[in-house]
Amino acid sequence: MSNDIRVRFAPSPTGHLHIGGARSALFNYLFARHHGGTFVLRIEDTDQARNVDTATEKLMESLKWLGIDWDESVDKGGEYGPYKSMDRLELYQTYVDQLLESGKAYHCYMTQEELEKEREEQRARGETPMYSGRDRNLTDEQKRAYEAEGRKPVVRFLVPSDQEIVVKDEVRGDVTFDSNGIGDFVIVRQDGIPTYNFAVTIDDHLMKISHVIRGEEHLSNTPNQVLLYEALGFETPVFGHASLILNQDRQKMSKRDESIIQFVEQYRELGYMPEAIVNFIALLGWSPGGEEEMLSLKELAEQFRLDRVIKAPAVFDTQKLEWMNNQYMKQADPDRVVWMSLPHLVKAGRLPENMSEQQRHWAYDLITLHQEKMSYGAQIVELTELFFKEQIDYNEDAKAVLDEEQVPEVLDAFRTKVKELTWEPDAVKAALKEVQKETGHKGKKLFMPVRVAVTGQMHGPDLPKTIVLLGRDKVLKRLDTLLADA
């Protein structure tokens, strides 16, 4: 394979970039980069009723955030433009006329009410609902009569009878369809705008797309497109349909499924790292050559092959995504982690929008203290809750620690040190060692009561750094409260 490789991602501008769409874009991008080919971003905007004005820009922004760039599109241009379907209507009309003139397509005047009545009758007979072909052989007189009623026709493709349609799929092998189960399908609506199946076929041909890589949900469209390729005398591209993505209950993921965050923009807003999202979705239905799972975009492109795309459904494991993002966050530059996390503390009202230099330094230290633990930026709000509380509600486990007999002695000795020490982590660490020498208590008997007393938690990040960030006044107040009740 060489520069003849041309692939495309062709989303409809109907909303945010779904995780399934992101995977299709990624697979096409990786395939193109692996083979030194061309990746085209095309906008399929023929469904005017569902289009959203800003969707194209948001889709492109989400792809760029993931690191997925393209070679040709509405913003970059290219030899095979325009790259929006609605800008290509004149191109489509040539092929509509060709099919009509050759008798491979025809005008159909049936109303929605007539079509629904036909489907109901078919269901009543136990048949699969499909268009009956009523208007296949209308005379000119019949057409004029319908038009006199004010009816506007659609254009339907004449599906040949008794034909075995074989889709040669690089992922699934040969998939066979019976043309008798398809029914004559609409290629141009009443308003003159082509349907998706027709537009995408023409566009893929004219843009010299060599491989069509997309999700399994598009497999049912493919026989219609193969029929159009054949009727127009076009060469059929190579198809590859990636598996469905299932939720954690192994059910098909729907956009209404609230158990999973499904849109790329949401992950960006939550403070996920794009490298982790890319790494994770690449493994949804594709397997790398070795055991290593943590792979950069460059490494993914080097390894990506269609024969490693898996037929079996991929399960969207939220916990694995959080784990993977945590691995990336641990390795990230602290400045970047702070930049991703700080807005969430501001949004939660924990910090002001206009911070002093001192507040910024404090916030920086607070976030980097929790960097090892964070799975995504927004999690900083939950992880740092204890730093913004005036009082702690100690749970039963914490109370059990504070009830140990050595605790009053340890806390009293530590309180004395807190009042006089220099307020920085090394001084706190030295103070704890002095308490150990004075009281004879060490290990869990020393550190656990101090941690629980000042944080309310049994476990957490570096204790001296935590104490310094809490502030002397807050630490003393919590110690005083406990010792007064002792």
Side-chain angles (χ1 to χ4, degrees):
M1 297 187 189
S2 65
N3 291 332
D4 292 336
I5 296 294
R6 289 179 58 82
V7 294
R8 50 73 170 177
F9 175 53
S12 297
T14 56
H16 301 293
L17 179 60
H18 188 263
I19 206 77
R23 184 188 66 168
S24 293
L26 178 62
F27 280 11
N28 279 280
Y29 171 85
L30 296 176
F31 187 76
R33 296 296 175 257
H34 181 85
H35 293 291
T38 301
F39 176 49
V40 178
L41 175 62
R42 191 174 70 223
I43 305 301
E44 299 287 350
D45 60 345
T46 58
D47 193 346
Q48 294 286 283
R50 295 180 62 230
N51 289 348
V52 177
D53 287 343
T54 59
T56 297
E57 290 73 22
K58 286 187 178 296
L59 284 165
M60 295 171 79
E61 191 177 306
S62 291
L63 288 171
K64 286 179 180 177
W65 178 71
L66 291 171
I68 300 173
D69 198 9
W70 46 88
D71 303 300
E72 300 173 20
S73 189
V74 291
D75 61 334
K76 291 188 174 181
E79 185 180 348
Y80 301 97
Y83 292 91
K84 274 190 177 181
S85 299
M86 290 302 292
D87 295 336
R88 300 172 62 82
L89 295 182
E90 288 185 17
L91 294 171
Y92 301 136
Q93 191 58 50
T94 300
Y95 298 98
V96 174
D97 293 342
Q98 180 181 327
L99 290 172
L100 287 168
E101 289 167 9
S102 64
K104 294 175 181 177
Y106 60 91
H107 290 103
C108 170
Y109 293 84
M110 286 185 75
T111 64
Q112 286 300 315
E113 292 76 18
E114 289 171 335
L115 287 166
E116 185 52 43
K117 183 182 177 184
E118 185 175 82
R119 285 192 286 264
E120 287 177 3
E121 290 171 352
Q122 289 169 336
R123 290 189 194 100
R125 295 193 297 268
E127 300 171 1
T128 302
M130 71 174 72
Y131 176 65
S132 65
R134 189 201 74 174
D135 289 2
R136 275 183 177 176
N137 300 302
L138 293 177
T139 63
D140 290 341
E141 185 179 354
Q142 287 172 312
K143 291 178 184 177
R144 285 193 294 271
Y146 280 135
E147 288 167 6
E149 293 177 19
R151 298 194 188 201
K152 290 185 177 180
V154 299
V155 178
R156 287 185 182 273
F157 178 76
L158 179 59
V159 175
S161 302
D162 304 320
Q163 182 171 323
E164 188 180 77
I165 306 160
V166 180
V167 176
K168 296 185 179 299
D169 194 295
E170 290 289 292
V171 177
R172 322 193 75 77
D174 287 356
V175 185
T176 304
F177 297 86
D178 182 355
S179 68
N180 295 328
I182 296 176
D184 297 350
F185 54 90
V186 177
I187 59 172
V188 182
R189 302 185 189 94
Q190 288 178 325
D191 59 6
I193 296 175
T195 59
Y196 168 79
N197 275 327
F198 185 71
V200 78
T201 301
I202 303 302
D203 289 343
D204 284 346
H205 169 71
L206 293 180
M207 292 185 182
K208 300 187 184 299
I209 299 302
S210 62
H211 292 70
V212 174
I213 305 166
R214 54 193 179 187
E216 186 185 341
E217 64 274 14
H218 287 286
L219 184 58
S220 59
N221 293 326
T222 310
N224 299 40
Q225 293 164 21
V226 169
L227 287 171
L228 287 167
Y229 279 110
E230 292 175 352
L232 291 164
F234 296 163
E235 183 179 351
T236 306
V238 176
F239 291 102
H241 289 89
S243 63
L244 292 173
I245 301 176
L246 306 181
N247 64 21
Q248 291 175 106
D249 296 325
R250 303 192 72 84
Q251 301 297 312
K252 184 179 177 182
M253 198 162 65
S254 75
K255 291 184 179 179
R256 293 182 295 277
D257 186 347
E258 295 182 359
S259 68
I260 291 174
I261 299 166
Q262 299 192 41
F263 297 97
V264 170
E265 197 170 325
Q266 291 174 292
Y267 285 104
R268 184 178 184 179
E269 289 171 355
L270 282 168
Y272 276 78
M273 303 193 76
E275 305 97 304
I277 299 294
V278 162
N279 196 159
F280 177 77
I281 63 176
L283 300 177
L284 289 174
W286 173 79
S287 173
E291 296 297 319
E292 179 60 49
E293 283 193 315
M294 304 289 288
L295 299 165
S296 68
L297 195 59
K298 184 172 182 279
E299 289 168 331
L300 288 167
E302 287 169 356
Q303 293 197 34
F304 190 83
R305 288 167 27 198
L306 274 181
D307 61 7
R308 298 202 68 85
V309 177
I310 303 164
K311 289 183 190 178
V315 177
F316 194 101
D317 186 339
T318 302
Q319 289 182 328
K320 181 171 182 180
L321 173 55
E322 287 193 11
W323 171 85
M324 186 170 279
N325 202 71
N326 172 252
Q327 301 305 303
Y328 277 92
M329 291 198 86
K330 284 178 182 178
Q331 299 166 21
D333 185 298
D335 288 352
R336 186 180 177 200
V337 174
V338 171
W339 178 79
M340 293 168 62
S341 307
L342 189 55
H344 297 284
L345 289 171
V346 173
K347 184 179 179 181
R350 302 282 171 80
L351 290 168
E353 284 190 31
N354 298 312
M355 282 175 263
S356 66
E357 196 64 27
Q358 184 180 1
Q359 286 173 318
R360 286 194 174 275
H361 280 304
W362 183 84
Y364 184 97
D365 290 341
L366 180 70
I367 293 167
T368 54
L369 178 66
H370 292 84
Q371 182 171 345
E372 286 280 314
K373 185 78 172 174
M374 289 168 61
S375 293
Y376 51 92
Q379 205 173 38
I380 194 65
V381 176
E382 176 189 348
L383 290 172
T384 60
E385 186 177 5
L386 71 96
F387 292 86
F388 301 94
K389 280 182 171 182
E390 286 305 314
Q391 293 184 324
I392 296 175
D393 295 321
Y394 297 99
N395 62 26
E396 293 305 313
D397 289 339
K399 288 176 181 177
V401 170
L402 296 173
D403 285 341
E404 292 175 8
E405 61 179 354
Q406 87 285 5
V407 170
E409 182 185 7
V410 167
L411 296 187
D412 187 53
F414 184 62
R415 177 178 60 174
T416 302
K417 304 295 180 188
V418 167
K419 288 179 179 179
E420 59 191 35
L421 61 82
T422 305
W423 205 244
E424 52 92 17
D426 285 344
V428 173
K429 190 174 181 180
L432 287 166
K433 286 184 178 178
E434 289 173 13
V435 171
Q436 178 182 323
K437 288 178 183 176
E438 291 174 12
T439 64
H441 300 298
K442 58 184 179 179
K444 284 184 67 175
K445 291 291 183 181
L446 168 65
F447 295 105
M448 187 64 80
V450 174
R451 180 180 290 281
V452 170
V454 298
T455 71
Q457 298 177 350
M458 307 282 284
H459 308 282
D462 183 86
L463 183 57
K465 290 180 180 178
T466 299
I467 288 170
V468 169
L469 287 168
L470 279 167
R472 194 191 310 265
D473 291 344
K474 190 169 286 187
V475 170
L476 284 173
K477 185 177 179 181
R478 291 176 181 179
L479 291 171
D480 287 343
T481 300
L482 285 171
L483 287 167
D485 296 336

